[in-house]
Amino acid sequence: MKQKITVIPRYGSSFKDKLYLPAIYDGVKVTFKHLFDNVSDINAVDTLEYPEEQPTDITDRYRGLHRLTQRSDDSIACVACFMCATACPSNCIFIEATEREDGHDEKMPKSFFIDTLECVFCGYCVEACPCDAIRMDTGIFSLTGNSREDFVLNKEQLLANKGAFGEENSCARD
Amino acid sequence: MSLAAILIAILSFVLGALLALLTIPVLVWLERRVASLIQDRLGPNRTNVFGFRFGGVVQSFADVVKLLLKEEYYPSHIKTGKWLFMLAPVITFAVALLAFMAIPFADTLHIDGEALRVQALPIDYGVLWYLAIGAIGVLGVIFGGWLSHNKYALLGSARAGSMVISYELPLGLSILAFIITYNTVDFNAMVQWQSGTFFAFLPAWGILVQPIASIILIVSLFAETNRNPFTVAEGESEIVAGFMTEHTAMKFAMYFMGEYIAMNTASAVIITVIFGGYQIPWVSTEMMLQNFSVFAMVLMISVPVIVGLLIKWMRKNNTVRPTVSTDSGRNFETKVLTIALLSMTALIEVILLYLAFFADSSLANSITVMLFQIVVFVVKLMMFNIFFILIRWTVPRFRYDQVQHLGWYYLLPLSLLNLFITALVVVGIT
Amino acid sequence: MLEISIFSILALFMIGGSIAMISNRQTVFSAFGFLVAMIGLAGIFALLNSQFLAVAQIMVSVGAVVVLSMLTILTVNANGKNMPHEPNKNKWIIFTSILVAPFTILLYKALATLPDHFSTMETINSKVIGKELFSEWVLPFEILSILLLSAMVSAIVIARKSKNKERGRS
């Protein structure tokens, strides 16, 4: 079999290359062009003035803040199977199960905490969930708080987060 | 000593201190802004005092406050010589500050037959002073690094020391070539020499008279100030922060500020020795003084033009994009600054008009020329500082052995050869 | 009066630096003492109105000698621990200083009888020194440079690896 071999020429052996100065001149030309263009029209710089301008290019596959989904009758889709807590690599999901009395399944979470300071946003909990009960499609990328406790989200906060990309309820339970 | 002499001495001292100290925050801000604009970002532009941002330069003052209020932390493993550990950054800082003081900001002022140097230290051996004082600065680095009892700090200071030894030689030899050419060790006399022309039309700037020595001077000054591409003493990718790994808060800030003053001093030395110092090409101080009304007229025409361009630029760029909801008082700032600039221009115009046509005082004329030269000096200084920053964000780092190789194998023989040729030519001419 | 007070401060610096240099076990502090002594000496030169000597003193002694000695300390890791043990060092220092005291007095008397034209001399700048050096003192100057050259050559000879040894090693 004939192999395709491309020989890349080695630079740096000619006198011009060894002088360094022409290369530095070329480099400075490039950087100075950028500097001059941006100084003469600062608003052409393609950045986001973040707090005033919000990003508009968040896709539906973006792993944002977690949320717990609901069934069509607004009851929680989670059945407290602990799959997400088991799959979690950073052990940041804390579930306490209780008996369920709304007639759907046997179990539901009594409390459901996610410590977002521990969370690495890997999405394994979403993969592991058999009921499509935990999702990361809120599109929320920044979470702020004044204390460590503010970052531990409880069940109500997680339920209050809404999906940003159309799908509202759990697709696995109805 | 007349009153004028004392006043000029105080003025030049204050100017020297201001140019050295007040440029630190400006340079830190400039470094960050220029870096981000080169990389198509914006950089720090938010911090303000009552809505005045001045392009974000207030950020540096906030940083200084932060560094001042930070906890002073001493590594507990330093048992002996804590005082020297603390003194080392001060040595670097103070020495960098002292080295700047020999730079002339304007031509020597002649008042009633008295020659007054506009120099923070009125000495006539400025080059020797710079070489001597500049060499002490590295001692602060070496002492600080050794007393940190830290491998990275030790490596950093060893590197700094060997850098100074290898680059002091080409620096000294290239400056020697300039001393031979200009036949003086006085910075001011050097600048005066450069006010002439050679080949009938070229300004006799050092870079045109002595191109090789100029390039060696610039390269060795880059190495002396530890700037990129020669950041071997504090190569982040190799030895953490180098000699200042264990220094915190204000001790770190001292090193940091010393570095920026050293860069400022290097720029000042470069423009004084090879770029005509405080002078604009083809025009010497005597010419300006003799044809003062012409000079004042040119200034009266050019100042409004420059200010107008500045205001136009500010009106265009001190804004935000229409997609941004608030402009954070940028409009107000633009208005106030426009009014301030316009009234300043009007004041300058009136003074120049009075001096050019109604007053006939040689003292006022020479003071006007002095102020003009100071402005030219500051503009050139800032341009060269931007050049330093531009090089930092253009050229990648050299490896340590490459730096030493460049210094000993290329720059040293080249500067010796250049010195030899210069001596031959100078002896041949005279 | 001002001159004398400045002189005494500089002299104190020099004496303190010298004592620190010879008595300290930590080599870094010795180097620092040397630095202080040298800067004091430069200050005394400046006090005598010989600017060139003062600046050259800083350039050579501080910029070259102290930096090089600090570099040596850094390279060979000359800690206090690695230094040779000297049990009666302080006694020796005191004993020797008593021994040389008569010579110091002699030296002082010899210097005091010198004509005091040193203090009344005008500013000694590089031009004066250069002219003096290359007209009246040119022979001693050249002999000194031969001495320096021979020192350099011998340093290179010592530093060079001998060929036999290298062959034996490989």
Side-chain angles (χ1 to χ4, degrees), chain A residues 18 20-21 24 26-29 31-32 34-35 38-53, chain B residues 33-34 37-38 40-42 46 215 313 316-317 319-321 323-326 328 330 386 390-391 393-395 398:
Chain A
K18 277 187 178 162
Y20 290 120
L21 293 172
I24 290 177
D26 286 349
V28 168
K29 221 163 64 183
T31 45
F32 185 75
H34 275 263
L35 176 68
N38 290 330
V39 165
S40 52
D41 188 5
I42 199 113
N43 285 334
V45 179
D46 193 16
T47 54
L48 218 57
E49 300 254 356
Y50 167 59
E52 287 97 29
E53 276 184 306
Chain B
R33 260 338 260 278
V34 169
L37 287 172
I38 284 171
D40 291 344
R41 298 182 284 116
L42 286 178
R46 300 252 164 181
I215 287 169
W313 176 81
K316 185 182 173 195
N317 285 302
T319 53
V320 286
R321 268 166 278 171
T323 43
V324 182
S325 53
T326 169
S328 322
R330 281 172 171 82
I386 290 176
L390 206 63
I391 289 290
W393 299 100
T394 305
V395 185
F398 277 98

Side-chain angles (χ1 to χ4, degrees), chain B residues 81 125 128 142 146 154 165, chain C residues 28-29 51 55 68 70-71 74:
Chain B
Y125 46 95
L128 298 174
I142 293 179
W146 168 267
L154 192 71
I165 286 167
Chain C
V28 198
F29 299 125
Q51 310 142 347
V55 174
L68 273 173
M70 272 310 291
L71 204 66
L74 286 173

